[in-house]
Amino acid sequence: MSLQMIWFVFTLGEKIIMRLCPTEEETVDLLNKVLNGNKLASEALAKVVHQDVVFSDPALDALEINIPQDTLGVWVDPIDSTYQYIKGSADIKSNQGIFPSGLQCVTILIGVYDIQTGVPLMGVINQPFVSQDLNTLRWKGQCYWGLSYMGTNIHSLLPPVSTRNSSETQSQVTQNPSSEAECFHPFSAVISTSEKETIKAALSRVCGERIFRAAGAGYKSLCVVLGLVDIYIFSEDTTFKWDSCAAHAILRAMGGGMVDLKECLERNPNSGLDLPQLVYHVGNRGAAGVDQWANKGGLIAYRSKKQLETFLSRLLRHLAPVDAHT
């Protein structure tokens, strides 16, 4: 797979979209005109955009699975956390492995879903800025993927990283707390800096000091995928299907998921109904433009259904009654 167009945005805001030529040499000549005769830059850029990108993983190579392509839809976010990408901060320190801002919060998201049911089936999250070589200043990235289809659940993750040394330790702490503090605040969560005060107040009662703020919906979801936190919760309607589909698919492959927060808060836990998972094939009624693809009820990303149920029951106890219906 190779790129078909190159975008240039100049300092005065002028934008030029250039289609690739049939050959690398022709693209170099065209780029040379756009880049004011900088042949070295033209050759380097042409070489990159003409090369085929091959994605391979031993776990996938050993898997035989046939998914009809005409049943699939795709959501792509080419740069999630655009502001952090433009700002380009490379010296942000992490808080227990979680970056509040900076290039580490930038992700590329590809989510594949069933066009009939809206269920996410495959997801890829590319985190291009994971670590930087201080000598060369070059960045190393990491790619994560997951597949959940017809009973097959597989993902690329190594044993999840945890702020409590290991995922096994985290599970033991959650289920069998060894101290009064752990018993009172067994959950950790990542939130947006724009989260509502009512949600933050309730979370502080559920999670104590284990609340982390971070930029980028894709990155916050990735924090859950990696086991850095238990929950990503967001009550606003400013994330979209392309923000959540990739991570949702990976979490499904791991036994977790992503649910509509508003519907969860309004749901009767004794109803026997399934958790209201986000779906990706239909837009919001009455909405226009990009708003029809917004996650209108907010979201919660989680790794364990049982853990989510416990988290929701505790969250509800600390939310004012009006918040569960607004």
Side-chain angles (χ1 to χ4, degrees):
M1 179 180 66
S2 60
L3 298 174
Q4 299 301 310
M5 294 185 296
I6 307 173
W7 290 46
F8 294 93
V9 180
F10 296 93
T11 54
L12 296 178
E14 181 184 3
K15 184 184 296 183
I16 295 176
I17 302 175
M18 191 193 83
R19 292 190 177 277
L20 296 189
C21 299
T23 67
E24 184 175 326
E25 291 73 19
E26 291 173 291
T27 300
V28 169
D29 292 339
L30 188 55
L31 281 169
N32 210 31
K33 298 175 183 177
V34 177
L35 298 177
N36 297 321
N38 189 335
K39 190 173 182 181
L40 185 62
S42 300
E43 290 175 343
L45 184 56
K47 181 178 181 180
V48 170
V49 298
H50 271 275
Q51 71 182 7
D52 287 333
V53 178
V54 179
F55 183 81
S56 181
D57 189 291
L60 280 178
D61 294 341
L63 181 67
E64 291 187 12
I65 187 168
N66 182 28
I67 305 177
Q69 293 188 15
D70 58 358
T71 67
L72 304 179
V74 183
W75 285 114
V76 177
D77 190 342
I79 303 178
D80 186 64
S81 199
T82 310
Y83 175 74
Q84 299 301 325
Y85 178 68
I86 294 172
K87 192 175 179 182
S89 299
D91 56 353
I92 306 298
K93 302 300 182 183
S94 69
N95 181 5
Q96 298 187 50
I98 299 171
F99 289 87
S101 59
L103 283 171
Q104 288 88 347
C105 297
V106 175
T107 53
I108 299 165
L109 311 170
I110 304 173
V112 180
Y113 63 94
D114 186 307
I115 60 174
Q116 298 297 324
T117 64
V119 173
L121 304 177
M122 295 179 280
V124 177
I125 300 178
N126 181 20
Q127 189 184 16
F129 307 105
V130 174
S131 60
Q132 187 179 32
D133 187 312
L134 297 181
N135 294 319
T136 65
L137 298 183
R138 294 181 65 88
W139 284 89
K140 289 185 179 180
Q142 182 68 49
C143 191
Y144 309 92
W145 58 265
L147 182 148
S148 180
Y149 179 74
M150 299 289 287
T152 296
N153 292 287
I154 185 171
H155 55 84
S156 62
L157 277 295
L158 295 171
V161 178
S162 170
T163 57
R164 301 169 210 154
N165 298 325
S166 74
S167 59
E168 181 180 359
T169 302
Q170 179 173 351
S171 177
Q172 290 174 350
V173 167
T174 301
Q175 297 175 16
N176 300 299
S178 58
S179 69
E180 184 177 349
E182 293 288 359
C183 182
F184 191 67
H185 299 304
F187 294 103
S188 59
V190 62
I191 64 172
S192 169
T193 54
S194 63
E195 186 54 80
K196 293 176 181 177
E197 291 300 324
T198 51
I199 296 293
K200 289 193 289 186
L203 275 177
S204 68
R205 302 294 298 275
V206 177
C207 301
E209 296 182 355
R210 301 179 185 187
I211 302 173
F212 303 88
R213 289 162 178 79
Y219 176 69
K220 287 190 281 287
S221 299
L222 181 60
C223 287
V224 180
V225 169
L226 295 176
L228 293 170
V229 291
D230 302 314
I231 297 289
Y232 162 36
I233 182 170
F234 189 48
S235 63
E236 303 286 352
D237 61 357
T238 52
T239 65
F240 299 86
K241 301 304 181 186
W242 49 84
D243 292 313
S244 55
C245 188
H248 192 170
I250 299 174
L251 286 167
R252 283 190 73 235
M254 301 174 72
M258 200 173 294
V259 292
D260 184 295
L261 171 61
K262 184 171 184 282
E263 290 187 24
C264 281
L265 297 181
E266 294 175 342
R267 167 178 166 267
N268 183 344
N270 299 318
S271 65
L273 298 175
D274 290 336
L275 291 165
Q277 296 289 323
L278 298 183
V279 292
Y280 297 89
H281 63 316
V282 293
N284 299 308
R285 292 181 181 178
V290 296
D291 286 341
Q292 65 182 312
W293 302 112
N295 296 315
K296 282 294 185 181
L299 58 83
I300 304 179
Y302 64 97
R303 293 168 55 90
S304 160
K305 181 180 177 181
K306 183 177 180 180
Q307 193 177 49
L308 175 64
E309 292 279 15
T310 305
F311 172 81
L312 283 171
S313 67
R314 297 188 184 188
L315 183 70
L316 278 166
R317 288 204 299 266
H318 299 295
L319 279 174
V322 67
D323 292 327
H325 301 284
T326 58

